[in-house]
Structure formats: structure tokens, C-alpha cells
């Protein structure tokens, strides 16, 4: 047989496989086991540069911009940074390393040429460094960096990644400068200096205090310091001074703004003034004291930091949307905005029809509204984010529907979604953000939150039933349960035993499970056979008095693939497996006992379980205040635990978890931002799909990751053989997806060739010889 005749069927098979997989794998760019960040990239608070690159520090991560072609690279925990929450960053041209400082005083050294990241936690973790560890400023000097902190000054050797000396000042050091053979530090209690060659700079008693004798204010609050034009320039409160080492000169005083930073990286001196979030940028040329305002033409209304690149060319970190580049000589302004969520906040994540809907905070801990209107909510579709708020849709504003959008769900079959405002009622909107409808107490059956003493329409939660009726919590009203029926008509229900309801899940019997706020346990509601008649309605409150709930503080509720209801509390998890008997007094729920380090304990009994999600294999994903716990379908075995220490999670405080059942991508909301993980489980039915397939396929020589087989029946038995019938893998799918590592039983990479995938299903359990797809391995 010729080589062509061998390759032809392989190529034809590969093409057909590509066509089959396009509809599903376009839903996620992640390989199984990979993480992706979903952080806000609009606002920056610090900026630094090399000759080729510029780095903007956002609230949570770093954006690297190439100065020539403006291409970007995003740096976060997913890309290898050790932390989140940026304070500042400073590029050192001698070592060609970027020093990144975090708000918790952690440090990273990043090498742009190699991508290597070294964590330097000695400030954050060193118990001998007492006092305020906030990092305020970094001064480069050759291989060294002088790091100004709340407790004092630290000199660090960047090549060795070790401290040279530390001086404790008992003062907040705002910045440092090297001038005339001295080390200067500006503090909240004046200006100090010491000779650079002093043998014991750690002894703060050896530092000279400078003040009125040098023409400076006594006990001056130095907010910024920089060497420029053979003098030291000082920001002291609302005044700008320059100092020649002996005498000082007052340059100007602003009526209400303070000098907050100064930089000298180009031909002149860049000065930042600020009051509140507002501010302005000024520029002084060499040999002059004329202050030129440079930012207004680039519309930098809230500048946080700016640096000069060359002669009167500036990179500006602005707290409003978009990073900025401004050429003063040509009046050219460039703005850089990157596709991302508007904020890091999330309270509820809903994934429907392969679209991700994210709601933002709307209620305080005491269940009072926050009144937040800027953030709205946002939607992720086909790799792009869009914000839905009063800014994108002004028609929301007159009804207060734009405030506190903290609940969201997509319609199961139609191209629209629903948002629950904790202030302005229910919002219905098409996926393209058109045809917006606000349902409030003024135009629907929804009522005022009068029981909470608030004249507003508050939505506490939403969920669709199997008939596409949308069940709505009308929080703190006299009829707290409402439904928007599939025919478009509303109905509400009064007489419920509780009205401060804040979450809802619907089980396989159609029963509605509500979390009751203010430590009220759980309310179960049966709307009966006739949704329009209250005669057959039933209610039951579950609490510590009549069930096995360990506490009445309930945070979450979910229904698994077997119909069991899982309730998350501040003291672990309780399952209710009563089916239609949940209204019987004997239905008390069960606390599952697991083995932890050789000891029996109740499942997650020390954890506050804030969120529960069920994947396609019926595994349980528990979001807690200590990260994410993934448990087996019966929850007796821990599959994985993800924390901010052992994974790219930005924070251990989990706000919500949602799973795209088609591709297995798990979306995890934390207090500091959203990440997603491509997990192994997808949804599966009783039978295989019409076209199961493997991905990647073919498996190229440079690929050494997992190979996924999609479109399987739930929990299928899998066998993979070569064309000669030799077994190389045997296992079980997780839901509708099986994962093969591309190796045989002896751990060797599979040889080049075609491999046959066999699988059973619930409707063909006695036919394990059915070939469902093939995998081509190329070495």
C-alpha cells in the first residue's frame, strides 16, 4: 500500500472530525485543566516603562504594551504572578527586571525577556518587619532598588533578590532620592538624609533631620520626592519646593490639591496633583519652573500616575476607563481599552445557551441596598464582554432598574435574559441589549419592599422551571413569591410563612427551595398542579428545630442530577433526598460523614458554603470562604481543593460558581475577580450524541496534554484500542466526556496511528463493541 493511500483516509477522517467539533470547541479556548482570568482591564493606577515596553498596573493585574506596535500581554495569577491587588511596579533598566509590588506588601520580580517570575515575600511574611508594610515608592540605582514603606526604607539587590539593609523610621516613608552623596527620604514627619557610604544606615538615629534651617516647613509632610535639574524637588502637602542640599525654594502652592507623585524619566519633570479621585498633571522643562498642564486634551480626568517617554510624550494611568498616551508636541492622544468585565465584582453567575451572565453586588450584609448604579452587570459571549447598565441603556434610569443588579439568569431557549435589581425590580432584555423592559411595583404585580421599610421593588432571586416559567422572589413584600409565566402573564402569591427570601432553586418535582434571610433557614414551596390556584399550594420551613440543619444561617441551595437538594450553611452541607415527601415531618435531611485525615467528620462542617454547583458528572463544587472544594457525586471523596495558594484563584472568598455543562468550563467568582477552569465533566444523556468526537485530533507530536472525547452518554464505560485491537486505555466518562492522556498502560506515549474509541451507554449497555469515534496520533 502506498503512503498516499494510508494518509488519505486519515486526512478525510481529520476533516470530518474538525467539522464535527467546530460547534462545541469554539465555546472555549481552554484545554482541559487550564485556567483563564476575567479581570477588569480598563482602569490603571500606576505605569512604568523600559525603552521597548510600558506596563500599566490595574487594580488587580498588569498590562504590558509594546511601544512600537501597541500589542499587549496580560499578566495575572493565571499567567504566573504570585498575587493580586497591585500597588505599583518599577522597571529597572540595569537588571532588565520589573519589580511588582502588591497592596499586601508582597513582591514579584518579572523578567520580560523570559517571562520568568520570582516571588519575594520577605516584606509580607517577615515578622521582624513591624508596622505598616505598605509599599509607597521604588527608586532604582544600578542593580539596587530603594523601597519606601510605611515602616521605613529597604534597600534590595535585584540580581540577588535579597535585602542589603533595612532602616526602621517609625515614620511613613513616601519616597527616596540619591543626591550629592546622600540618601534622602521624604516622610510624613519631614525630610531626612544620611551619607550613601555610612557604615550603619540601619540606625535611624544617624539620619539627619532637615527643616526650618534649610527653609523647609517644620515637620513637613513630604508626599513626593524626585531629583531633577541638579536639585531635589519636594511635594510637601499642597506646596512644591526645590532644594539644593542646603537651601530650599517654594515654587508654588495649590489651593486644594496635594502633590502625590513626581517622576523624571524623560527630558523634564512630571508632577501629579490630586484631590479625592480628581487630579491634574503638570510638566516642567529643564532650566525652568513653568508648569505646563498636559492632561486635559487627552481627557485624563482622574490621573493616577504619568511618566514621560522621550520629550513631552507621556504614558498616563487614569482611573477612568482607558489607558492613555499623549504627545504634547503634536497634541496626539491615543487611548487603549481592552475587552474585559467592568469590575472584579460578582454576586451571581448564570450560564445559559453558552453565554455567561454576571451580576454585580446589590445588597449589603444587612440586606439593605447599596445604591450602586455604575457597574450594572455584564455578559460574555463568543470571547467578548459587554456591559449592561444605565450607561449602555439609559432607558433603565427613570425606573431605578440600573441600580444594584445582583441577580441574573438567561432564558433557557430564547435570546434574552433577566436581571434582578435590589432597588428597581425585574429587567427583561434581549441578548443584544435591546427591547428593555422594567417590571416594578408601578407597572406589574410586583410589590414594594414595605416589610423592610423600603419603598422600592426588590428582587431576591430568580429561576426557571421546566415549563419556562420564571419564578421570582419579590423580596420583603406581602407577596414575596411571583411568577412570570411562559405566556407573558404575571402572578404572585401571598400567605407565605417568610418574605425575606434571597435565593431560589427548583427541584425535579417542581418544588421551589428558597434561602430565608436573617438566619431563617430554608422555605420549600409547592405551587401544586394548578399554578393559578392557591388551593393546592404547600409550604414548609426547614430549620434547626425540625431538620438536621446545623444552623439557620443558610447561604446556598442546589439540585443535583439525581434530584437531591444540597443546602449550604455556615457549618457545612445538608442533603435532602426525600423527593415528593419533603413536606413530611420525617424528612429532616442528612449530614454526610466523611473521613478527614483519619477522623470522621461532617461534610465541610467548619466551612461557610456560599455556593454550590453540580457538574455533568454529578460532582459537587462547593464555594466557601476557604476556596473551592470539589467532591465526588456522593460527596464522600474529595476530588480537588482550589485555593489562592495552590491555584490561580484570586481570592479564597468565593461569591458564586457556575458551570457551562456543554464544554465543562467552571466559572468561579471571588471577591477579587473571576477565573474559569476547563474541567473534565460535561453533560451527558442516556445515549451518545449523533457525532461523538475527540479533541485535539489529530494529536500532533508537540502536544502532550489531555485528549477529550466529547458527546458521550453519561458515565459511559470507555475503551481505546489500536487498529489491531490492543487495549491502550480503559476508563469511565465524567458525565458526557472522557479524558485520555495519550499514553498506554505502561505510561508510554501512544505510537503514531489510528486509535478506536469504544463506549457503552444506558440504551446500549450490552453493546460495548460500538466504535463511536477515532483518534489519530502523530509522532
Amino acid at each position: 500500500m502506498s503512503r498516499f493511500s494510508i494518509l488519505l483516509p486519515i486526512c478525510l477522517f481529520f476533516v470530518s472530525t474538525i467539522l464535527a467539533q467546530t460547534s462545541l470547541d469554539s465555546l472555549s479556548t481552554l484545554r482541559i485543566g487550564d485556567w483563564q482570568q476575567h479581570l477588569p482591564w480598563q482602569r490603571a493606577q500606576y505605569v512604568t516603562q523600559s525603552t521597548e515596553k510600558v506596563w500599566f498596573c490595574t487594580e488587580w493585574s498588569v498590562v504590558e504594551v509594546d511601544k512600537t506596535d501597541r500589542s499587549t500581554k496580560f499578566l495575572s495569577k493565571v499567567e504566573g504572578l504570585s498575587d493580586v491587588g497591585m500597588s505599583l511596579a518599577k522597571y529597572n533598566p540595569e537588571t532588565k527586571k520589573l519589580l511588582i509590588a502588591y497592596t499586601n506588601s508582597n513582591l514579584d520580580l518579572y523578567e520580560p525577556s523570559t517571562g520568568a517570575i520570582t516571588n519575594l515575600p520577605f516584606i509580607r511574611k517577615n515578622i521582624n518587619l513591624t508596622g505598616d508594610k505598605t509599599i509607597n515608592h521604588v527608586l532604582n540605582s544600578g542593580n539596587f532598588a530603594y523601597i519606601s514603606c510605611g515602616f521605613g526604607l529597604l534597600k534590595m539587590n535585584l540580581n540577588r533578590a535579597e535585602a542589603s539593609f533595612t532602616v526602621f523610621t517609625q515614620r511613613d516613608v513616601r519616597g527616596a532620592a540619591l543626591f550629592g552623596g546622600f540618601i534622602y527620604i521624604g516622610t510624613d514627619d519631614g525630610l531626612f538624609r544620611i551619607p550613601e557610604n555610612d557604615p550603619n544606615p540601619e540606625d535611624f538615629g544617624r539620619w539627619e533631620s532637615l527643616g526650618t534651617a534649610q527653609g523647609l516647613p517644620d515637620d513637613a509632610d513630604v508626599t513626593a520626592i524626585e531629583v531633577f535639574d541638579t536639585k531635589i524637588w519636594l511635594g510637601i502637602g499642597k506646596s512644591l519646593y526645590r532644594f539644593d542640599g542646603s537651601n530650599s525654594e517654594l515654587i508654588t502652592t495649590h489651593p486644594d490639591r496635594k502633590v502625590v507623585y513626581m517622576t523624571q524619566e524623560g527630558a523634564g519633570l512630571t508632577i501629579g496633583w490630586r484631590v479625592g479621585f480628581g487630579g491634574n498633571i503638570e510638566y516642567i522643562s529643564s532650566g525652568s519652573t513653568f508648569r505646563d498642564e498636559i492632561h486635559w486634551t487627552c481627557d485624563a480626568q482622574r490621573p493616577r500616575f504619568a511618566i514621560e517617554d522621550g520629550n513631552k510624550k507621556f504614558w498616563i494611568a487614569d482611573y477612568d476607563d482607558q489607558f492613555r498616551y499623549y504627545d504634547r508636541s503634536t497634541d496626539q492622544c491615543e487611548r487603549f481599552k481592552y475587552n474585559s468585565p467592568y469590575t472584579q465584582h460578582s454576586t451571581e453567575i448564570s450560564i445559559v445557551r453558552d453565554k455567561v451572565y454576571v451580576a454585580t453586588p446589590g445588597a449589603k450584609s444587612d440586606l439593605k441596598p447599596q445604591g450602586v448604579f455604575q457597574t450594572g452587570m455584564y455578559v460574555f459571549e463568543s470571547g467578548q464582554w459587554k456591559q449592561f447598565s444605565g450607561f449602555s441603556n439609559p432607558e433603565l434610569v427613570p425606573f431605578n432598574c440600573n441600580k444594584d443588579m445582583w441577580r441574573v439568569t438567561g432564558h433557557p431557549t430564547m435570546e434574552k435574559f433577566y436581571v434582578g435589581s435590589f432597588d428597581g425590580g425585574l429587567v427583561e432584555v434581549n441578548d443584544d441589549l435591546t427591547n428593555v423592559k422594567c417590571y416594578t411595583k408601578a407597572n406589574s404585580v410586583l410589590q414594594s419592599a414595605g416589610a423592610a421599610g423600603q419603598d422600592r421593588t426588590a428582587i431576591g432571586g430568580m429561576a426557571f422551571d421546566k415549563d419556562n416559567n420564571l419564578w421570582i422572589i419579590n423580596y420583603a413584600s406581602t407577596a414575596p413569591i411571583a411568577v412570570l409565566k411562559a405566556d407573558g402573564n404575571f402572578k404572585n402569591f401571598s400567605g407565605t410563612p417568610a418574605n425575606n427570601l434571597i435565593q431560589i432553586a427548583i427541584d425535579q418535582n417542581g418544588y421551589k427551595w428558597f434561602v430565608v434571610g436573617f438566619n431563617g433557614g430554608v422555605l420549600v414551596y409547592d405551587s401544586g398542579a394548578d399554578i393559578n390556584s392557591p388551593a393546592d399550594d404547600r409550604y414548609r420551613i426547614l430549620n434547626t428545630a425540625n431538620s438536621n440543619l446545623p444552623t439557620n444561617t443558610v447561604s446556598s441551595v442546589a439540585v443535583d442530577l439525581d434530584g437531591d437538594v444540597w443546602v449550604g450553611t455556615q457549618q457545612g452541607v445538608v442533603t435532602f433526598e426525600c423527593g415528593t415527601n419533603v413536606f413530611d415531618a420525617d424528612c429532616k435531611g442528612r449530614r454526610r460523614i466523611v473521613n478527614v485525615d483519619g477522623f470522621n467528620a461532617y461534610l465541610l462542617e467548619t466551612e461557610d458554603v456560599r455556593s454550590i454547583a453540580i457538574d455533568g458528572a454529578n460532582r459537587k463544587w462547593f464555594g466557601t470562604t476557604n476556596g473551592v472544594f470539589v467532591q465526588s457525586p456522593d460527596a464522600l471523596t474529595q476530588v480537588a481543593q482550589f485555593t489562592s495558594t495552590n491555584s490561580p484563584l484570586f481570592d479564597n472568598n468565593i461569591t458564586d460558581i457556575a458551570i457551562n455543562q456543554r464544554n465543562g468550563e467552571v466559572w468561579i467568582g471571588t471577591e477579587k475577580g473571576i477565573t474559569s477552569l476547563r474541567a473534565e465533566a460535561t453533560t451527558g444523556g442516556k445515549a451518545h450524541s449523533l457525532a461523538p468526537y475527540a479533541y485535539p485530533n489529530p494529536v500532533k507530536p508537540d502536544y502532550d496534554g489531555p485528549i477529550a472525547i466529547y458527546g458521550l452518554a453519561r458515565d459511559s464505560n470507555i475503551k481505546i484500542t489500536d487498529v489491531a485491537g490492543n487495549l491502550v486505555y480503559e476508563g469511565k466518562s465524567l458525565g458526557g466526556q472522557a479524558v485520555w492522556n495519550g499514553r498506554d498502560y505502561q505510561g508510554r506515549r501512544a505510537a503514531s496511528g489510528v486509535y478506536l474509541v469504544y463506549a457503552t451507554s444506558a440504551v446500549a449497555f450490552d453493546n460495548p463493541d460500538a466504535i463511536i469515534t477515532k483518534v489519530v496520533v502523530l509522532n
Side-chain angles (χ1 to χ4, degrees):
M1 183 180 292
S2 71
R3 183 180 181 185
F4 178 79
S5 63
I6 294 175
L7 290 177
L8 181 59
I10 294 177
C11 292
L12 291 175
F13 167 69
F14 179 41
V15 171
S16 65
T17 302
I18 288 291
L19 294 175
Q21 74 193 29
T22 300
S23 62
L24 182 59
D25 281 309
S26 60
L27 303 179
S28 178
T29 58
L30 299 181
R31 297 191 323 182
I32 292 174
D34 283 355
W35 294 75
Q36 186 172 8
Q37 55 77 21
H38 303 281
L39 291 167
W41 298 107
Q42 289 94 339
R43 292 165 296 280
Q45 54 193 19
Y46 209 89
V47 60
T48 188
Q49 66 180 331
S50 68
T51 55
E52 300 87 13
K53 309 282 186 181
V54 60
W55 291 272
F56 287 96
C57 288
T58 71
E59 300 143 299
W60 306 108
S61 294
V62 176
V63 181
E64 178 182 292
V65 181
D66 186 278
K67 290 183 178 180
T68 302
D69 60 14
R70 302 302 198 247
S71 60
T72 55
K73 182 177 181 179
F74 300 98
L75 302 174
S76 72
K77 280 194 72 178
V78 172
E79 287 74 33
L81 296 184
S82 65
D83 222 319
V84 293
M86 301 296 159
S87 173
L88 58 86
K90 188 71 171 180
Y91 180 77
N92 184 286
E94 186 71 25
T95 63
K96 294 181 171 53
K97 296 177 181 179
L98 181 71
L99 182 65
I100 301 171
Y102 300 91
T103 53
N104 63 0
S105 73
N106 200 2
L107 292 169
D108 276 343
L109 267 180
Y110 167 64
E111 297 184 51
S113 61
T114 64
I117 298 170
T118 304
N119 182 228
L120 307 173
F122 51 79
I123 294 179
R124 180 172 65 91
K125 292 185 175 182
N126 192 332
I127 60 174
N128 295 318
L129 297 179
T130 58
D132 183 5
K133 295 183 179 181
T134 302
I135 297 171
N136 299 315
H137 181 264
V138 175
L139 168 68
N140 284 322
S141 177
N143 297 332
F144 295 91
Y146 291 85
I147 303 174
S148 300
C149 306
F151 61 80
L153 181 71
L154 183 148
K155 182 180 180 182
M156 188 174 76
N157 187 317
L158 295 179
N159 278 335
R160 296 183 178 181
E162 64 183 20
S164 299
F165 72 74
T166 303
V167 54
F168 295 93
T169 61
Q170 296 183 337
R171 292 161 177 82
D172 186 7
V173 179
R174 277 35 178 309
L178 301 178
F179 179 72
F182 287 89
I183 304 171
Y184 286 82
I185 56 172
T187 78
D188 61 348
D189 189 31
L191 182 67
F192 296 83
R193 70 182 176 187
I194 195 171
E196 285 190 70
N197 59 1
D198 190 280
N200 188 19
E202 293 93 340
D203 182 3
F204 190 60
R206 301 170 64 89
W207 289 67
E208 177 187 2
S209 175
L210 306 175
T212 54
Q214 290 79 29
L216 297 171
D218 190 30
D219 299 328
D221 183 4
V222 181
T223 51
I225 181 171
E226 184 63 81
V227 176
F228 170 65
D229 233 7
T230 69
K231 290 182 174 61
I232 293 181
W233 292 67
L234 301 168
I236 299 179
K238 299 174 184 177
S239 299
L240 179 65
Y241 288 80
R242 63 180 178 180
F243 177 59
D244 64 7
S246 300
N247 300 294
S248 63
E249 174 188 2
L250 175 63
I251 302 301
T252 188
T253 296
H254 199 284
D256 60 359
R257 298 186 176 185
K258 290 185 177 181
V259 178
V260 290
Y261 66 84
M262 290 188 288
T263 64
Q264 195 274 306
E265 299 189 32
L269 179 67
T270 305
I271 307 170
W273 300 78
R274 190 180 308 154
V275 55
F277 279 104
N280 63 295
I281 304 167
E282 292 182 339
Y283 177 77
I284 299 178
S285 298
S286 179
S288 171
T289 59
F290 172 73
R291 304 184 320 281
D292 181 15
E293 282 199 301
I294 65 166
H295 71 294
W296 292 113
T297 0
C298 211
D299 196 29
Q301 300 292 335
R302 302 167 73 184
R304 311 303 289 170
F305 206 82
I307 53 176
E308 185 184 16
D309 181 9
N311 188 5
K312 294 188 179 182
K313 299 176 182 179
F314 303 91
W315 296 95
I316 304 171
D318 192 84
Y319 202 70
D320 281 336
D321 289 359
Q322 304 176 4
F323 312 150
R324 290 163 172 81
Y325 170 81
Y326 179 58
D327 187 332
R328 179 60 166 152
S329 301
T330 63
D331 203 31
Q332 172 197 359
C333 177
E334 290 183 54
R335 300 177 184 178
F336 305 88
K337 187 170 184 178
Y338 306 104
N339 186 256
S340 70
Y342 182 74
T343 74
Q344 79 279 9
H345 297 298
S346 61
T347 53
E348 189 166 84
I349 305 173
S350 173
I351 303 176
V352 183
R353 294 174 280 104
D354 302 317
K355 299 178 179 67
V356 182
Y357 304 93
V358 180
T360 56
K364 300 177 183 178
S365 58
D366 59 0
L367 291 180
K368 292 182 179 179
Q370 294 194 21
V372 175
F373 64 88
Q374 299 96 333
T375 55
M377 54 83 58
Y378 28 95
V379 183
F380 184 75
E381 179 182 3
S382 301
Q384 296 295 308
W385 287 97
K386 55 187 176 183
Q387 185 188 14
F388 178 61
S389 69
F391 300 107
S392 66
N393 294 77
E395 62 269 33
L396 293 166
V397 178
F399 305 97
N400 284 337
C401 300
N402 61 320
K403 293 183 178 179
D404 297 335
M405 293 183 169
W406 77 319
R407 299 294 187 226
V408 65
T409 186
H411 193 283
T413 60
M414 302 176 70
E415 296 289 317
K416 60 182 178 180
F417 62 95
Y418 293 83
V419 182
S421 164
F422 208 48
D423 193 291
L426 177 72
V427 183
E428 177 184 282
V429 57
N430 290 348
D431 281 343
D432 61 2
L433 307 189
T434 63
N435 196 25
V436 177
K437 299 176 184 178
C438 288
Y439 299 105
T440 70
K441 59 187 178 65
N443 63 1
S444 71
V445 301
L446 298 177
Q447 300 177 353
S448 171
Q454 301 283 333
D455 185 21
R456 57 190 171 89
T457 311
I459 304 301
M462 301 173 292
F464 278 97
D465 65 17
K466 61 181 178 60
D467 297 318
N468 291 342
N469 300 308
L470 179 64
W471 290 86
I472 306 159
I473 298 172
N474 191 184
Y475 176 80
S477 70
T478 57
I481 301 175
V483 61
L484 177 57
K485 293 185 287 186
D487 62 11
N489 294 312
F490 272 100
K491 181 175 177 55
N492 60 358
F493 305 85
S494 57
T496 59
N499 63 5
N500 52 322
L501 312 177
I502 52 175
Q503 285 189 45
I504 176 176
I506 302 176
D507 69 19
Q508 294 180 359
N509 299 302
Y511 301 156
K512 291 79 186 172
W513 294 69
F514 300 93
V515 174
V516 184
F518 301 111
N519 309 317
V522 177
L523 169 65
V524 188
Y525 168 58
D526 174 17
S527 55
D530 185 355
I531 193 174
N532 295 306
S533 172
D536 57 355
D537 292 0
R538 293 185 293 174
Y539 301 92
R540 185 187 180 196
I541 290 283
L542 296 168
N543 54 35
T544 56
N546 64 0
S547 75
N548 286 321
L549 286 174
T551 172
N552 289 328
T553 305
V554 175
S555 304
S556 54
V557 61
V559 182
D560 74 9
L561 301 185
D562 296 330
D564 297 334
V565 179
W566 296 72
V567 176
T569 78
Q570 276 192 344
Q571 299 176 27
V573 183
V574 178
T575 55
F576 291 86
E577 306 156 66
C578 310
T580 58
N581 298 321
V582 67
F583 293 93
D584 296 345
D586 290 339
C587 178
K588 298 180 181 296
R590 175 161 69 108
R591 298 184 70 186
R592 303 194 178 206
I593 298 176
V594 297
N595 188 276
V596 180
D597 298 327
F599 298 92
N600 288 335
Y602 289 121
L603 176 63
L604 302 178
E605 63 178 331
T606 61
E607 304 295 337
D608 180 3
V609 181
R610 294 183 169 185
S611 177
I612 305 173
I614 313 297
D615 70 16
N618 208 25
R619 299 182 303 180
K620 280 67 185 178
W621 293 68
F622 298 109
T624 74
T625 53
N626 286 311
V628 178
F629 295 82
V630 186
Q631 301 290 127
S632 60
D634 60 8
L636 299 182
T637 303
Q638 185 177 106
V639 176
Q641 181 183 2
F642 301 112
T643 68
S644 60
T645 302
N646 69 4
S647 78
L649 276 183
F650 301 129
D651 185 47
N652 286 332
N653 290 307
I654 307 302
T655 58
D656 199 20
I657 302 175
I659 301 174
N660 187 329
Q661 301 293 351
R662 286 192 66 201
N663 63 18
E665 190 168 355
V666 182
W667 289 69
I668 304 172
T670 76
E671 296 286 353
K672 295 181 179 179
I674 300 172
T675 51
S676 62
L677 164 67
R678 187 77 176 267
E680 309 97 321
T682 64
T683 188
K686 291 184 178 180
H688 306 309
S689 70
L690 295 178
Y693 66 92
Y695 183 81
N697 199 5
V699 182
K700 298 180 179 180
D702 59 350
Y703 182 80
D704 193 27
I707 302 163
I709 296 94
Y710 297 106
L712 304 178
R714 179 182 165 190
D715 301 334
S716 301
N717 293 315
I718 303 296
K719 290 184 179 181
I720 300 177
T721 73
D722 59 23
V723 291
N726 298 307
L727 185 67
V728 296
Y729 172 80
E730 185 174 13
K732 194 172 185 179
S733 71
L734 288 169
Q737 176 175 269
V739 180
W740 175 39
N741 64 3
R743 299 181 181 276
D744 61 20
Y745 276 111
Q746 296 182 7
R748 299 171 302 189
R749 181 180 172 89
S752 295
V754 177
Y755 292 83
L756 311 178
V757 181
Y758 300 80
T760 63
S761 69
V763 296
F765 192 78
D766 295 329
N767 186 21
D769 296 326
I771 300 174
I772 61 165
T773 191
K774 302 173 184 178
V775 182
V776 177
V777 176
L778 303 176
N779 286 323

